Protein backbone atom coordinates (compact mmCIF):
# COMPACT_ATOMS: atom_id res chain seq x y z
CA UNK A 1 0.00 0.00 0.00
CA UNK A 2 1.12 3.54 -0.72
CA UNK A 3 -0.12 6.50 1.33
CA UNK A 4 0.54 10.07 0.23
CA UNK A 5 -0.20 12.80 2.79
CA UNK A 6 -0.63 16.30 1.43
CA UNK A 7 -0.07 18.97 4.06
CA UNK A 8 1.24 22.49 4.51
CA UNK A 9 2.87 21.38 7.80
CA UNK A 10 4.86 18.22 7.02
CA UNK A 11 6.71 18.69 10.32
CA UNK A 12 3.59 17.69 12.27
CA UNK A 13 3.59 14.30 10.52
CA UNK A 14 7.29 13.56 10.68
CA UNK A 15 7.23 11.96 14.12
CA UNK A 16 4.30 9.52 14.19
CA UNK A 17 5.50 7.22 11.43
CA UNK A 18 9.10 7.02 12.61
CA UNK A 19 8.45 5.11 15.81
CA UNK A 20 7.43 1.69 16.94
CA UNK A 21 5.18 -0.55 14.86
CA UNK A 22 4.35 1.81 11.99
CA UNK A 23 8.07 2.34 11.50
CA UNK A 24 8.52 -1.43 11.33
CA UNK A 25 5.71 -1.76 8.76
CA UNK A 26 7.47 0.84 6.60
CA UNK A 27 10.80 -0.94 6.97
CA UNK A 28 9.22 -4.28 6.07
CA UNK A 29 7.76 -2.73 2.93
CA UNK A 30 4.11 -3.30 3.94
CA UNK A 31 3.42 0.38 3.37
CA UNK A 32 5.14 3.38 1.81
CA UNK A 33 4.29 6.65 3.55
CA UNK A 34 5.08 9.79 1.60
CA UNK A 35 4.80 13.29 3.07
CA UNK A 36 4.02 15.87 0.41
CA UNK A 37 4.50 19.58 1.09
CA UNK A 38 1.64 21.37 -0.67
CA UNK A 39 3.85 24.42 -1.12
CA UNK A 40 6.04 22.50 -3.54
CA UNK A 41 3.05 22.47 -5.96
CA UNK A 42 2.63 26.24 -6.02
CA UNK A 43 3.84 28.14 -9.08
CA UNK A 44 3.85 31.71 -7.84
CA UNK A 45 6.71 33.64 -6.30
CA UNK A 46 5.14 33.68 -2.84
CA UNK A 47 4.34 29.96 -2.90
CA UNK A 48 0.83 30.80 -1.78
CA UNK A 49 -1.35 27.88 -0.70
CA UNK A 50 -4.28 29.80 0.79
CA UNK A 51 -6.34 32.91 0.21
CA UNK A 52 -9.20 34.93 1.73
CA UNK A 53 -12.79 33.76 1.18
CA UNK A 54 -14.91 35.27 -1.59
CA UNK A 55 -17.83 37.08 -0.01
CA UNK A 56 -15.72 38.06 2.95
CA UNK A 57 -15.45 36.56 6.37
CA UNK A 58 -12.96 35.15 8.74
CA UNK A 59 -10.00 32.86 8.01
CA UNK A 60 -8.15 31.49 5.02
CA UNK A 61 -9.15 28.89 2.43
CA UNK A 62 -6.80 26.39 0.77
CA UNK A 63 -6.56 27.31 -2.92
CA UNK A 64 -7.58 24.79 -5.56
CA UNK A 65 -4.62 25.01 -7.97
CA UNK A 66 -1.84 23.51 -5.78
CA UNK A 67 -4.16 20.75 -4.50
CA UNK A 68 -5.23 19.73 -8.02
CA UNK A 69 -1.61 19.83 -9.22
CA UNK A 70 -0.45 17.70 -6.26
CA UNK A 71 -3.17 15.06 -6.55
CA UNK A 72 -2.87 14.79 -10.34
CA UNK A 73 0.88 14.39 -10.09
CA UNK A 74 0.70 11.82 -7.27
CA UNK A 75 -1.90 9.78 -9.18
CA UNK A 76 0.18 9.72 -12.35
CA UNK A 77 3.35 8.88 -10.42
CA UNK A 78 1.76 5.95 -8.55
CA UNK A 79 0.89 3.99 -11.68
CA UNK A 80 -2.05 2.63 -9.70
CA UNK A 81 -5.31 2.00 -11.60
CA UNK A 82 -7.31 3.39 -8.68
CA UNK A 83 -6.31 5.98 -6.09
CA UNK A 84 -8.70 7.05 -3.33
CA UNK A 85 -8.48 10.77 -2.47
CA UNK A 86 -9.57 11.38 1.12
CA UNK A 87 -10.08 14.78 2.72
CA UNK A 88 -9.80 14.96 6.52
CA UNK A 89 -12.50 17.30 7.75
CA UNK A 90 -14.93 17.52 10.68
CA UNK A 91 -17.70 17.46 8.04
CA UNK A 92 -16.77 13.98 6.83
CA UNK A 93 -18.28 10.58 7.59
CA UNK A 94 -17.26 9.29 11.01
CA UNK A 95 -14.10 7.13 11.03
CA UNK A 96 -14.43 3.73 12.70
CA UNK A 97 -12.97 0.23 12.52
CA UNK A 98 -15.15 -0.65 9.54
CA UNK A 99 -13.93 2.39 7.60
CA UNK A 100 -10.33 1.48 8.55
CA UNK A 101 -10.85 -2.04 7.18
CA UNK A 102 -12.36 -0.76 3.96
CA UNK A 103 -9.50 1.71 3.38
CA UNK A 104 -6.89 -0.95 4.18
CA UNK A 105 -7.98 -2.80 0.98
CA UNK A 106 -7.01 0.10 -1.30
CA UNK A 107 -3.55 0.13 -2.90
CA UNK A 108 -3.06 3.87 -3.11
CA UNK A 109 -4.57 6.53 -0.90
CA UNK A 110 -3.98 10.26 -1.02
CA UNK A 111 -4.88 12.05 2.20
CA UNK A 112 -5.48 15.79 2.08
CA UNK A 113 -5.04 17.49 5.43
CA UNK A 114 -7.45 20.42 5.54
CA UNK A 115 -6.39 23.63 7.31
CA UNK A 116 -7.71 26.97 8.35
CA UNK A 117 -11.40 27.49 7.63
CA UNK A 118 -11.41 24.83 4.95
CA UNK A 119 -10.63 24.09 1.34
CA UNK A 120 -12.07 25.63 -1.80
CA UNK A 121 -15.37 23.87 -2.57
CA UNK A 122 -14.16 22.84 -6.04
CA UNK A 123 -11.62 20.55 -4.38
CA UNK A 124 -14.49 18.73 -2.70
CA UNK A 125 -16.54 18.70 -5.90
CA UNK A 126 -13.97 17.47 -8.38
CA UNK A 127 -10.95 16.04 -6.58
CA UNK A 128 -12.04 14.31 -3.39
CA UNK A 129 -13.63 10.82 -3.33
CA UNK A 130 -14.22 10.53 0.39
CA UNK A 131 -14.39 12.88 3.39
CA UNK A 132 -13.55 11.58 6.84
CA UNK A 133 -13.88 12.97 10.36
CA UNK A 134 -12.21 11.25 13.30
CA UNK A 135 -14.79 12.54 15.77
CA UNK A 136 -17.12 15.35 16.74
CA UNK A 137 -14.53 17.90 17.80
CA UNK A 138 -12.56 20.45 15.82
CA UNK A 139 -8.80 20.18 15.42
CA UNK A 140 -6.64 22.99 14.05
CA UNK A 141 -6.04 20.90 10.94
CA UNK A 142 -6.34 17.48 9.38
CA UNK A 143 -2.76 16.34 10.13
CA UNK A 144 -3.43 14.65 13.46
CA UNK A 145 -6.61 13.12 12.04
CA UNK A 146 -4.59 11.75 9.11
CA UNK A 147 -2.05 10.25 11.55
CA UNK A 148 -4.89 8.50 13.40
CA UNK A 149 -6.31 7.13 10.15
CA UNK A 150 -2.91 5.89 8.93
CA UNK A 151 -2.19 4.19 12.26
CA UNK A 152 -5.53 2.36 12.31
CA UNK A 153 -5.28 1.33 8.63
CA UNK A 154 -1.66 0.17 8.65
CA UNK A 155 -2.16 -2.19 11.59
CA UNK A 156 -4.79 -4.02 9.51
CA UNK A 157 -2.47 -4.69 6.56
CA UNK A 158 -1.79 -8.39 5.97
CA UNK A 159 1.46 -9.33 7.68
CA UNK A 160 1.32 -6.54 10.27
CA UNK A 161 -0.27 -8.38 13.19
CA UNK A 162 0.66 -11.92 14.12
CA UNK A 163 -1.91 -14.24 12.53
CA UNK A 164 -3.30 -15.34 15.86
CA UNK A 165 -3.91 -11.77 16.97
CA UNK A 166 -5.65 -10.80 13.73
CA UNK A 167 -7.94 -13.85 13.89
CA UNK A 168 -8.83 -12.99 17.45
CA UNK A 169 -9.47 -9.41 16.48
CA UNK A 170 -11.89 -10.26 13.70
CA UNK A 171 -13.86 -12.42 16.11
CA UNK A 172 -14.04 -10.06 19.04
CA UNK A 173 -13.37 -6.60 17.65
CA UNK A 174 -16.95 -5.52 18.22
CA UNK A 175 -16.40 -6.03 21.96
CA UNK A 176 -14.16 -4.14 24.37
CA UNK A 177 -11.01 -5.90 25.53
CA UNK A 178 -10.94 -8.00 28.70
CA UNK A 179 -8.67 -6.83 31.56
CA UNK A 180 -4.96 -7.60 31.25
CA UNK A 181 -2.44 -8.45 33.97
CA UNK A 182 1.29 -9.07 34.11
CA UNK A 183 3.74 -9.79 36.96
CA UNK A 184 3.76 -9.47 39.95
CA UNK A 185 0.90 -11.80 41.04
CA UNK A 186 0.05 -9.50 43.98
CA UNK A 187 0.59 -5.73 43.79
CA UNK A 188 -0.34 -3.51 46.76
CA UNK A 189 -2.75 -6.16 47.91
CA UNK A 190 -4.43 -6.48 44.48
CA UNK A 191 -4.35 -10.05 43.21
CA UNK A 192 -4.27 -11.33 39.66
CA UNK A 193 -7.42 -13.44 39.11
CA UNK A 194 -6.54 -17.06 39.93
CA UNK A 195 -7.85 -18.39 36.62
CA UNK A 196 -5.09 -16.55 34.74
CA UNK A 197 -2.45 -18.40 36.77
CA UNK A 198 -4.17 -21.77 36.34
CA UNK A 199 -2.60 -22.78 33.04
CA UNK A 200 -6.04 -23.95 31.90
CA UNK A 201 -6.40 -22.30 28.49
CA UNK A 202 -10.03 -23.26 28.05
CA UNK A 203 -10.91 -21.64 31.37
CA UNK A 204 -8.76 -18.59 30.60
CA UNK A 205 -10.41 -18.03 27.20
CA UNK A 206 -13.85 -18.43 28.77
CA UNK A 207 -13.02 -15.92 31.53
CA UNK A 208 -11.66 -13.42 28.99
CA UNK A 209 -14.72 -13.70 26.78
CA UNK A 210 -17.02 -13.14 29.76
CA UNK A 211 -14.99 -10.15 30.96
CA UNK A 212 -15.17 -8.63 27.46
CA UNK A 213 -18.92 -9.09 27.40
CA UNK A 214 -19.30 -7.63 30.88
CA UNK A 215 -17.16 -4.58 30.12
CA UNK A 216 -18.94 -3.95 26.86
CA UNK A 217 -22.31 -4.27 28.56
CA UNK A 218 -21.27 -1.84 31.31
CA UNK A 219 -19.47 0.76 29.20
CA UNK A 220 -20.68 0.49 25.60
CA UNK A 221 -23.94 -1.47 25.45
CA UNK A 222 -24.51 -0.03 21.95
CA UNK A 223 -21.65 -2.23 20.67
CA UNK A 224 -23.42 -5.44 21.73
CA UNK A 225 -26.12 -4.88 19.13
CA UNK A 226 -23.57 -5.25 16.33
CA UNK A 227 -21.53 -8.05 17.94
CA UNK A 228 -21.54 -11.65 16.74
CA UNK A 229 -22.74 -13.33 19.91
CA UNK A 230 -22.66 -17.06 20.59
CA UNK A 231 -25.53 -18.74 22.47
CA UNK A 232 -23.34 -18.99 25.60
CA UNK A 233 -22.56 -15.26 25.35
CA UNK A 234 -26.25 -14.48 25.41
CA UNK A 235 -26.80 -16.74 28.41
CA UNK A 236 -23.98 -14.99 30.26
CA UNK A 237 -25.29 -11.51 29.40
CA UNK A 238 -28.78 -12.48 30.56
CA UNK A 239 -27.27 -13.61 33.85
CA UNK A 240 -25.42 -10.29 34.35
CA UNK A 241 -28.53 -8.29 33.52
CA UNK A 242 -30.54 -10.24 36.10
CA UNK A 243 -27.86 -9.72 38.76
CA UNK A 244 -27.94 -6.00 38.21
CA UNK A 245 -31.70 -5.63 38.44
N1 LIG B 1 -9.91 18.59 10.84
C1 LIG B 1 -10.29 19.32 11.90
N2 LIG B 1 -11.00 18.59 12.76
C2 LIG B 1 -11.08 17.32 12.25
C3 LIG B 1 -11.71 16.11 12.66
N3 LIG B 1 -12.40 16.02 13.80
N4 LIG B 1 -11.58 15.04 11.86
C4 LIG B 1 -10.90 15.12 10.69
N5 LIG B 1 -10.30 16.23 10.26
C5 LIG B 1 -10.39 17.33 11.02
Amino acid sequence: MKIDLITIFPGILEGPFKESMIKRAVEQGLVEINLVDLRSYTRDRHRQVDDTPYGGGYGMILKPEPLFAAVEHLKAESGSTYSRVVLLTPQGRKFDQKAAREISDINHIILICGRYEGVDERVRMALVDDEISIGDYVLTGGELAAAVLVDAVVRLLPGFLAEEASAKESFSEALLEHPHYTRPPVFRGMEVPAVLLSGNHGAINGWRRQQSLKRTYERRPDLLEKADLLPEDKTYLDAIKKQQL
Side-chain angles (χ1 to χ4, degrees):
M1 169 181 244
K2 180 172 186 203
I3 304 175
D4 290 309
L5 294 117
I6 303 177
T7 168
I8 58 170
F9 294 120
I12 298 178
L13 288 167
E14 261 153 29
F17 310 129
K18 289 211 179 119
E19 303 281 346
S20 187
M21 295 178 74
I22 304 297
K23 173 182 170 186
R24 206 184 59 193
V26 171
E27 286 170 355
Q28 288 176 342
L30 292 181
V31 61
E32 183 185 342
I33 298 175
N34 181 31
L35 299 184
V36 179
D37 185 347
L38 184 61
R39 255 177 239 287
S40 65
Y41 287 91
T42 53
R43 303 181 72 181
D44 62 305
R45 207 156 48 90
H46 301 292
R47 307 185 79 204
Q48 192 181 352
V49 288
D50 56 357
D51 208 339
T52 52
Y54 274 124
Y58 164 83
M60 299 293 275
I61 309 298
L62 288 181
K63 289 166 67 61
E65 303 94 318
L67 282 169
F68 274 79
V71 167
E72 283 162 4
H73 176 242
L74 294 168
K75 278 186 176 175
E77 184 190 64
S78 83
S80 190
T81 47
Y82 175 72
S83 307
R84 169 90 60 101
V85 181
V86 180
L87 174 68
L88 282 309
T89 160
Q91 299 183 7
R93 66 183 171 117
K94 188 86 70 72
F95 189 61
D96 60 11
Q97 194 65 17
K98 184 162 162 269
R101 239 181 283 123
E102 180 218 313
I103 294 172
S104 73
D105 282 336
I106 300 168
N107 278 330
H108 182 213
I109 58 176
I110 300 175
L111 301 179
I112 300 177
C113 304
R115 271 274 142 188
Y116 304 120
E117 299 323 295
V119 302
D120 187 283
E121 190 62 18
R122 290 160 293 189
V123 171
R124 286 213 157 102
M125 283 163 53
L127 197 61
V128 165
D129 304 307
D130 196 2
E131 298 182 35
I132 286 189
S133 161
I134 64 160
D136 288 338
Y137 40 82
V138 182
L139 305 166
T140 56
E143 283 77 8
L144 294 177
V148 167
L149 183 150
V150 169
D151 194 283
V153 166
V154 169
R155 71 180 279 287
L156 295 176
L157 294 178
F160 183 88
L161 291 181
E163 242 161 69
E164 212 179 306
S166 49
K168 176 185 158 258
E169 162 150 343
S170 64
F171 178 61
S172 61
E173 68 185 356
L175 300 177
L176 301 182
E177 283 263 303
H178 54 77
H180 298 278
Y181 291 89
T182 184
R183 271 179 279 271
V186 183
F187 176 71
R188 299 194 176 178
M190 295 176 278
E191 289 179 16
V192 173
V195 61
L196 296 178
L197 310 175
S198 69
N200 178 344
H201 292 288
I204 292 171
N205 287 338
W207 180 85
R208 287 180 168 163
R209 180 80 184 167
Q210 291 192 343
Q211 291 292 316
S212 278
L213 290 162
K214 183 160 180 274
R215 257 195 189 181
T216 311
Y217 173 68
E218 286 166 356
R219 300 182 184 200
R220 290 292 308 277
D222 56 300
L223 294 179
L224 287 173
E225 327 241 300
K226 290 178 249 156
D228 260 338
L229 296 181
L230 304 167
E232 60 262 37
D233 294 335
K234 291 184 185 147
T235 311
Y236 176 70
L237 283 169
D238 287 341
I240 308 182
K241 285 176 202 167
K242 280 208 192 99
Q243 265 174 26
Q244 292 183 347
L245 280 179

